[in-house]
Amino acid sequence: MKFFIVNSGSSSIKYQVIESASETVLATGLVERIGEAGGRLKNTAFPGTSDELDSVIEQPIPDHRSGMQLVIATLTDKTDGVICNVAEIGAIGHRVVHGGEDFSGSMRITDPVLQALERNIPLAPLHNPANLDGIRVAMEIFPHVPQVAVFDTAFHQTMPPRAYLYAIPYELYETDRVRRYGFHGTSHRFVAGECARLLGKQLPECNLITVHLGNGCSMTAIENGRSVDTSLGMTPLEGLVMGTRSGDVDPALHLFLKQNKGMELEAIDALLNKESGLKGLCGMNDMRDIHKAAAEGDVRAKLAVEVQTYRTRKYIGAFMAVLGRVDGIVFTAGIGENDPIVRAESLKGLEAFGIRLDPERNWQRSKEARCISAPDSTVRIFVIPTNEELAIAREMAQVLRN
Ligand code: AMP
């Protein structure tokens, strides 16, 4: 069966077609600048018989509906399409950012599910409406194909109240569901499963710390296979230092900036989400550029790496205290998978806790999941490439089986 996996943003649609049994990617692509003057679709097909085929279409794409239709026309194109007929698509999976407290797992999309997604819009006012647009268009175009929602928050619904409550008046939780939700759940769940396999255990037997360091960054404490704490909060701003997001700051910063800089709340929110993190510290948010600048003597670039890796180390310590016994620490996402300097700095000085990197393994380049700890490390350390689309495909297969 072929799965069509959709990640619908406010002006974009990212997609993949996956053959579910063999987990083979048949096509991947991105529609950008929906609703803007010049839209663009880039599709890469993997027909199997020859090398990959890239195609680019540039034309106005007024809305998600026309974007989705363009994708389908491309996928069924006679020369480089990977499907002959839309009827070959057996199920559609949608990445949904916020499931609130309504969803602790992936769900087949029905009217009550759509209503719950609507209800959760206040929790993710930028992301959930765009996800809903994608779902509605797909339901219109494929009325008879099962549609599955896979939530970024669902994996973290197992957190206990002591981890998800903020110490603010309890009524705000009761009336408005103000609490920690956590994100990147599909990625944390996926790499945890792969790590259990490498440890030769079942996931429910494993205590793990999963460290997702990409443009967005988060860390999860996993006890007996279940998320018990995570660094992102009610929104994807809390916790680690990210590409352009601050992570933890003193909440009184808002008042200070208002009183001393005359900034409105919206401007402060934009500052913390778009102008902070690595970018705020050194003007760059791509770790490759930051390392290059640091090697050339840029003091602020060096400082940005220090601040990010110190924060990561601090959270590793906190999550070790949460878990007590840790079987494995997993690094994943763009930085976590590719950056030996950040991995080494994030684990520096933790030898007394049984955490020892093998420097040679840490520096080896590979796209494969691998162990990078020293033989005498009591906590094993792994690099495991995340694969959100494959994770969604696996979730979909599970939902359709039930
Ligand atoms: P992601 O959000 O997982 O796609 O990660 C994107 C980020 O990964 C980029 O902004 C870079 O900072 C980082 N990245 C990608 N490749 C490398 C690399 N080879 N070394 C260091 N950082 C990298």
PDB file of all heavy atoms in Angstrom, residues 24-38:
ATOM      1  N   THR A  24       9.884   1.978   1.495  1.00  0.00           N
ATOM      2  CA  THR A  24      10.682   2.641   0.454  1.00  0.00           C
ATOM      3  C   THR A  24      10.072   4.001   0.138  1.00  0.00           C
ATOM      4  O   THR A  24       8.860   4.117  -0.054  1.00  0.00           O
ATOM      5  CB  THR A  24      10.636   1.807  -0.861  1.00  0.00           C
ATOM      6  OG1 THR A  24      10.836   0.455  -0.525  1.00  0.00           O
ATOM      7  CG2 THR A  24      11.668   2.270  -1.859  1.00  0.00           C
ATOM      8  N   VAL A  25      10.935   5.029   0.065  1.00  0.00           N
ATOM      9  CA  VAL A  25      10.444   6.362  -0.331  1.00  0.00           C
ATOM     10  C   VAL A  25      10.356   6.404  -1.853  1.00  0.00           C
ATOM     11  O   VAL A  25      11.326   6.151  -2.562  1.00  0.00           O
ATOM     12  CB  VAL A  25      11.408   7.466   0.170  1.00  0.00           C
ATOM     13  CG1 VAL A  25      10.916   8.836  -0.274  1.00  0.00           C
ATOM     14  CG2 VAL A  25      11.528   7.421   1.678  1.00  0.00           C
ATOM     15  N   LEU A  26       9.156   6.720  -2.383  1.00  0.00           N
ATOM     16  CA  LEU A  26       8.964   6.769  -3.827  1.00  0.00           C
ATOM     17  C   LEU A  26       9.082   8.202  -4.356  1.00  0.00           C
ATOM     18  O   LEU A  26       9.497   8.416  -5.492  1.00  0.00           O
ATOM     19  CB  LEU A  26       7.578   6.222  -4.195  1.00  0.00           C
ATOM     20  CG  LEU A  26       7.299   4.777  -3.746  1.00  0.00           C
ATOM     21  CD1 LEU A  26       5.873   4.385  -4.081  1.00  0.00           C
ATOM     22  CD2 LEU A  26       8.285   3.824  -4.408  1.00  0.00           C
ATOM     23  N   ALA A  27       8.690   9.152  -3.543  1.00  0.00           N
ATOM     24  CA  ALA A  27       8.801  10.556  -3.956  1.00  0.00           C
ATOM     25  C   ALA A  27       8.804  11.437  -2.726  1.00  0.00           C
ATOM     26  O   ALA A  27       8.251  11.080  -1.681  1.00  0.00           O
ATOM     27  CB  ALA A  27       7.630  10.943  -4.846  1.00  0.00           C
ATOM     28  N   THR A  28       9.451  12.584  -2.879  1.00  0.00           N
ATOM     29  CA  THR A  28       9.464  13.550  -1.793  1.00  0.00           C
ATOM     30  C   THR A  28       9.417  14.940  -2.422  1.00  0.00           C
ATOM     31  O   THR A  28       9.895  15.134  -3.538  1.00  0.00           O
ATOM     32  CB  THR A  28      10.725  13.342  -0.906  1.00  0.00           C
ATOM     33  OG1 THR A  28      10.787  14.386   0.025  1.00  0.00           O
ATOM     34  CG2 THR A  28      12.001  13.285  -1.680  1.00  0.00           C
ATOM     35  N   GLY A  29       8.800  15.892  -1.753  1.00  0.00           N
ATOM     36  CA  GLY A  29       8.726  17.214  -2.380  1.00  0.00           C
ATOM     37  C   GLY A  29       8.215  18.292  -1.464  1.00  0.00           C
ATOM     38  O   GLY A  29       7.833  18.049  -0.317  1.00  0.00           O
ATOM     39  N   LEU A  30       8.247  19.496  -2.014  1.00  0.00           N
ATOM     40  CA  LEU A  30       7.864  20.678  -1.242  1.00  0.00           C
ATOM     41  C   LEU A  30       7.165  21.683  -2.156  1.00  0.00           C
ATOM     42  O   LEU A  30       7.668  22.014  -3.226  1.00  0.00           O
ATOM     43  CB  LEU A  30       9.136  21.316  -0.651  1.00  0.00           C
ATOM     44  CG  LEU A  30       8.960  22.621   0.107  1.00  0.00           C
ATOM     45  CD1 LEU A  30       8.164  22.418   1.392  1.00  0.00           C
ATOM     46  CD2 LEU A  30      10.328  23.231   0.444  1.00  0.00           C
ATOM     47  N   VAL A  31       5.992  22.122  -1.736  1.00  0.00           N
ATOM     48  CA  VAL A  31       5.317  23.234  -2.399  1.00  0.00           C
ATOM     49  C   VAL A  31       5.550  24.447  -1.510  1.00  0.00           C
ATOM     50  O   VAL A  31       5.305  24.382  -0.307  1.00  0.00           O
ATOM     51  CB  VAL A  31       3.791  22.989  -2.501  1.00  0.00           C
ATOM     52  CG1 VAL A  31       3.119  24.115  -3.270  1.00  0.00           C
ATOM     53  CG2 VAL A  31       3.505  21.646  -3.141  1.00  0.00           C
ATOM     54  N   GLU A  32       6.052  25.522  -2.106  1.00  0.00           N
ATOM     55  CA  GLU A  32       6.368  26.718  -1.300  1.00  0.00           C
ATOM     56  C   GLU A  32       5.636  27.934  -1.826  1.00  0.00           C
ATOM     57  O   GLU A  32       5.199  27.956  -2.973  1.00  0.00           O
ATOM     58  CB  GLU A  32       7.859  27.037  -1.422  1.00  0.00           C
ATOM     59  CG  GLU A  32       8.783  26.074  -0.762  1.00  0.00           C
ATOM     60  CD  GLU A  32      10.221  26.465  -1.054  1.00  0.00           C
ATOM     61  OE1 GLU A  32      10.680  26.239  -2.197  1.00  0.00           O
ATOM     62  OE2 GLU A  32      10.867  27.011  -0.149  1.00  0.00           O
ATOM     63  N   ARG A  33       5.598  28.949  -0.997  1.00  0.00           N
ATOM     64  CA  ARG A  33       5.060  30.270  -1.350  1.00  0.00           C
ATOM     65  C   ARG A  33       3.611  30.216  -1.829  1.00  0.00           C
ATOM     66  O   ARG A  33       3.229  30.893  -2.775  1.00  0.00           O
ATOM     67  CB  ARG A  33       5.976  30.947  -2.380  1.00  0.00           C
ATOM     68  CG  ARG A  33       7.403  31.089  -1.880  1.00  0.00           C
ATOM     69  CD  ARG A  33       8.194  32.129  -2.615  1.00  0.00           C
ATOM     70  NE  ARG A  33       8.616  31.729  -3.937  1.00  0.00           N
ATOM     71  CZ  ARG A  33       9.779  31.156  -4.214  1.00  0.00           C
ATOM     72  NH1 ARG A  33      10.641  30.911  -3.232  1.00  0.00           N
ATOM     73  NH2 ARG A  33      10.102  30.838  -5.433  1.00  0.00           N
ATOM     74  N   ILE A  34       2.830  29.362  -1.150  1.00  0.00           N
ATOM     75  CA  ILE A  34       1.394  29.292  -1.451  1.00  0.00           C
ATOM     76  C   ILE A  34       0.763  30.636  -1.089  1.00  0.00           C
ATOM     77  O   ILE A  34       1.024  31.170  -0.009  1.00  0.00           O
ATOM     78  CB  ILE A  34       0.724  28.148  -0.651  1.00  0.00           C
ATOM     79  CG1 ILE A  34       1.269  26.794  -1.108  1.00  0.00           C
ATOM     80  CG2 ILE A  34      -0.798  28.186  -0.787  1.00  0.00           C
ATOM     81  CD1 ILE A  34       0.801  25.612  -0.284  1.00  0.00           C
ATOM     82  N   GLY A  35      -0.041  31.173  -2.000  1.00  0.00           N
ATOM     83  CA  GLY A  35      -0.727  32.442  -1.734  1.00  0.00           C
ATOM     84  C   GLY A  35       0.138  33.663  -2.020  1.00  0.00           C
ATOM     85  O   GLY A  35      -0.306  34.789  -1.854  1.00  0.00           O
ATOM     86  N   GLU A  36       1.398  33.435  -2.437  1.00  0.00           N
ATOM     87  CA  GLU A  36       2.266  34.574  -2.764  1.00  0.00           C
ATOM     88  C   GLU A  36       2.335  34.723  -4.287  1.00  0.00           C
ATOM     89  O   GLU A  36       1.750  33.940  -5.023  1.00  0.00           O
ATOM     90  CB  GLU A  36       3.661  34.347  -2.172  1.00  0.00           C
ATOM     91  CG  GLU A  36       3.634  34.350  -0.647  1.00  0.00           C
ATOM     92  CD  GLU A  36       4.966  33.974  -0.029  1.00  0.00           C
ATOM     93  OE1 GLU A  36       6.006  34.196  -0.654  1.00  0.00           O
ATOM     94  OE2 GLU A  36       4.944  33.432   1.089  1.00  0.00           O
ATOM     95  N   ALA A  37       3.104  35.738  -4.742  1.00  0.00           N
ATOM     96  CA  ALA A  37       3.111  36.034  -6.182  1.00  0.00           C
ATOM     97  C   ALA A  37       3.635  34.850  -7.006  1.00  0.00           C
ATOM     98  O   ALA A  37       3.017  34.447  -7.994  1.00  0.00           O
ATOM     99  CB  ALA A  37       3.938  37.279  -6.433  1.00  0.00           C
ATOM    100  N   GLY A  38       4.751  34.286  -6.614  1.00  0.00           N
ATOM    101  CA  GLY A  38       5.320  33.188  -7.405  1.00  0.00           C
ATOM    102  C   GLY A  38       5.423  31.929  -6.584  1.00  0.00           C
ATOM    103  O   GLY A  38       6.256  31.855  -5.683  1.00  0.00           O
TER     104      GLY A  38
END
